[in-house]
Amino acid sequence: WSGPRGVAVRPPGVERVLRRLREQADPAISHEALLVAARQVVDAERARLGRGEPAASVDQLAEEAAATLRGW
């Protein structure tokens, strides 16, 4: 994936999203569930970036993961 001037564009690491997600998630939610949600949003972000869409912030991805958890 390349951004402006051929600079590689990558999503943030799963651990960064997971850290932010833990700050807003219900403490009763298991680590495994948080990890799955974080991985899903990072994978989706990777696909969006591959299509040339603008990058989301870590906060946006954590909120997306939190919404995923609420939907389960």
Side-chain angles (χ1 to χ4, degrees), residues 8-63:
V9 178
R10 299 183 333 193
V14 171
E15 284 299 320
R16 287 184 64 203
V17 176
L18 185 58
R19 257 193 315 273
R20 197 62 53 91
L21 177 58
R22 280 189 191 119
E23 293 171 4
Q24 56 185 303
D26 181 335
I29 298 173
S30 73
H31 170 77
E32 291 77 17
L34 295 171
L35 184 58
V36 168
R39 284 181 176 157
Q40 284 181 355
V41 299
V42 170
D43 287 346
E45 176 70 356
R46 186 175 293 111
R48 285 191 294 263
L49 293 172
R51 292 190 300 271
E53 296 178 27
S57 70
V58 172
D59 287 334
Q60 290 168 320
L61 295 174
E63 180 51 44

